[in-house]
């Protein structure tokens, strides 16, 4: 039910109990949890020693400004660079999207991380929160690149998470800092922002993350708190059968329903399978909130575990990796 944040680069004594608490399915790592490739590999190993092999370990490793692990990892360009390439050479952009995803996925798997919250399936239409994290302003082009990215992640042994459903790219406000409202009609959203998500689902993405945006023509609750968006549209109309994430409960836009417990329960009641509690100061309250709730369906969560990955030495010895890195890292940002 919960994906929780940790405080530092090594496990604290009190975090051992949090990892094994009822309802905790995994951890999300941030820059505060990273100092080197060797250290983060040791951290993931210590997490699994306590929580078990089925416990999820994840991170945001999109590239560009959202790349939590940097030193010792390939510096990946933002996804917008792939969209710019598409405008000049569409087929090359599709190939580079697969390679970008493979590099990201294979490097994370080599240090014991199961998945990154990727790809961003939002369109690039003026959002302060999204910006160059999105592939392109055109939803059709974005959809093609999303599918390529999902394929690349799968080739790298990693599940894909489409975010931020049903689309944050056309909403100017940053949900980390303020309430965000999108007043457009359902037909408008279906014809634009939702196209890349439909494409990603067709490419067999394992998970979707719901936005904290309120789409007021459809429901008065943010998408992650909305039965309409999760049950009726995502699972009903779009036929998605995978895992649904609620975005971080610590974000400003998540506060419309009350405190930590109310936010956790609103996500789960709406149909989310996993909820992010990213900041350590909310973890204990989030754990208490799920103590007596039914556990999320394991058949939706299990596919998020990464496939057996290469060691780092194995990656270095792979000439394909060198070719991919050379082609991807020269892309303009």
């Amino acid at each position: 039910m919960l994906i929780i944040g940790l405080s530092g680069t090594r496990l604290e004594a009190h975090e051992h109990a949090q990892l094994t608490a009822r309802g905790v399915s995994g951890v999300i790592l941030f820059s505060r949890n990273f100092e080197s490739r060797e250290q983060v590999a040791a951290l993931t190993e210590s997490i699994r020693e306590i929580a078990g092999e089925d416990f999820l370990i994840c991170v945001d490793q999109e590239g560009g400004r959202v790349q939590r692990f940097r030193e010792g990892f390939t510096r990946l360009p933002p996804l917008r660079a792939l969209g710019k390439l598409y405008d000049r050479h569409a087929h090359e952009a599709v190939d580079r999207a697969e390679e970008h995803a493979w590099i990201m996925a294979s490097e994370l798997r080599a240090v014991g991380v199961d998945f990154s919250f990727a790809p961003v399936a939002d369109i690039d239409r003026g959002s302060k929160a999204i910006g160059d994290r999105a592939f392109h302003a055109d939803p059709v082009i974005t959809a093609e690149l999303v599918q390529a990215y999902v394929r690349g992640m799968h080739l790298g042994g990693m599940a894909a998470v489409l975010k931020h459903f049903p689309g944050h790219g056309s909403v100017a406000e940053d949900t980390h800092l303020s309430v965000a409202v999108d007043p457009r009609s359902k037909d408008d959203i279906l014809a634009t922002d939702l196209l890349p998500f439909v494409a990603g689902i067709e490419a067999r993405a394992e998970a979707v993350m719901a936005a904290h945006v309120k789409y007021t023509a459809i429901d008065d609750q943010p998408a992650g708190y909305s039965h309409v968006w999760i049950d009726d549209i995502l699972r009903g109309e779009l036929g998605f059968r995978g895992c649904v994430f609620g975005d971080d409960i610590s974000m400003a836009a998540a506060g419309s329903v009350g405190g930590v417990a109310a936010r956790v329960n609103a996500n789960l009641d709406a149909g989310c399978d996993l909820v992010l509690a990213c900041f350590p100061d909310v973890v204990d309250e989030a754990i208490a909130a799920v103590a007596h709730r039914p556990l999320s369906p394991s058949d939706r969560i299990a596919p998020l575990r990464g496939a057996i990955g290469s060691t780092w030495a194995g990656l270095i010895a792979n000439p394909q990796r060198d070719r991919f890195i050379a082609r991807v890292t020269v892309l303009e940002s």
Side-chain angles (χ1 to χ4, degrees):
M1 285 184 281
L2 295 175
I3 302 291
I4 64 172
L6 302 174
S7 58
T9 56
R10 290 162 182 78
L11 287 176
E12 301 290 341
H14 72 278
E15 291 172 333
H16 291 211
Q18 292 177 340
L19 295 180
T20 56
R22 184 185 182 279
V24 175
S25 300
V27 298
I28 178 169
L29 303 180
F30 289 89
S31 297
R32 66 176 182 264
N33 307 118
F34 177 80
E35 60 184 22
S36 71
R37 192 175 67 233
E38 294 76 16
Q39 167 271 325
V40 83
L43 177 60
T44 63
E45 184 176 353
S46 66
I47 291 168
R48 295 207 192 282
E49 286 175 356
I50 294 166
E53 289 300 314
D54 293 334
F55 198 72
L56 298 174
I57 302 176
C58 53
V59 69
D60 286 309
Q61 191 83 341
E62 301 169 12
R65 59 192 167 96
V66 181
Q67 181 170 343
R68 309 306 186 195
F69 304 164
R70 293 184 178 270
E71 188 66 34
F73 288 80
T74 301
R75 297 292 184 97
L76 295 165
L79 298 187
R80 183 187 281 169
L82 295 161
K84 288 181 177 180
L85 177 61
Y86 191 100
D87 290 335
R88 304 190 304 273
H89 306 288
H91 292 299
E92 286 187 27
V94 171
D95 290 344
R96 296 299 88 75
E98 286 191 17
E99 293 165 2
H100 188 295
W102 184 90
I103 295 165
M104 180 274 292
S106 62
E107 290 187 351
L108 291 181
R109 293 298 302 121
V111 296
V113 174
D114 289 303
F115 65 93
S116 171
F117 287 99
V120 172
D122 304 303
I123 54 178
D124 186 5
R125 294 194 176 180
S127 170
K128 297 174 184 175
I130 304 302
D132 66 0
R133 298 166 66 193
F135 287 110
H136 205 279
D138 186 323
V140 175
I141 294 173
T142 301
E144 186 174 359
L145 292 173
V146 163
Q147 287 195 323
Y149 208 89
V150 171
R151 289 195 300 269
M153 291 179 71
H154 288 168
L155 289 170
M158 181 173 285
V161 183
L162 309 172
K163 62 183 184 184
H164 307 79
F165 177 84
H168 196 329
S170 300
V171 183
E173 295 86 0
D174 185 342
T175 48
H176 295 87
L177 306 174
S178 64
V179 173
V181 175
D182 187 339
R184 293 177 300 156
S185 69
K186 179 181 175 182
D187 286 346
D188 190 357
I189 296 170
L190 285 171
T192 53
D193 296 65
L194 262 179
L195 289 182
F197 290 92
V198 172
I201 291 169
E202 291 175 350
R204 301 187 181 278
E206 289 80 1
V208 169
M209 177 186 284
H212 280 316
V213 178
K214 292 183 180 182
Y215 304 87
T216 50
I218 295 90
D219 195 0
D220 60 359
Q221 293 294 331
Y225 298 160
S226 171
H227 272 293
V228 176
W229 278 113
I230 296 174
D231 285 337
D232 297 348
I233 299 175
L234 180 58
R235 296 205 184 279
E237 296 178 23
L238 302 184
F240 181 65
R241 297 292 176 263
C243 181
V244 179
F245 283 88
D247 205 349
D248 182 19
I249 57 171
S250 302
M251 292 165 64
S256 61
V257 295
V260 170
R263 300 176 195 191
V264 170
N265 284 306
N267 274 299
L268 296 172
D269 289 343
C272 291
D273 302 295
L274 294 171
V275 180
L276 293 177
C278 295
F279 286 88
D281 58 356
V282 305
V283 168
D284 284 335
E285 193 173 348
I287 290 172
V290 303
H292 302 292
R293 292 193 64 105
L295 296 176
S296 300
S298 60
D299 61 333
R300 294 179 185 168
I301 297 174
L304 298 175
R305 279 284 283 125
I308 294 174
S310 172
T311 63
W312 200 271
L315 281 183
I316 297 299
N318 184 349
Q320 174 178 262
R321 177 175 182 265
D322 293 336
R323 291 193 296 269
F324 286 2
I325 290 174
R327 291 195 290 251
V328 167
T329 54
V330 297
L331 295 176
E332 61 177 300
S333 59

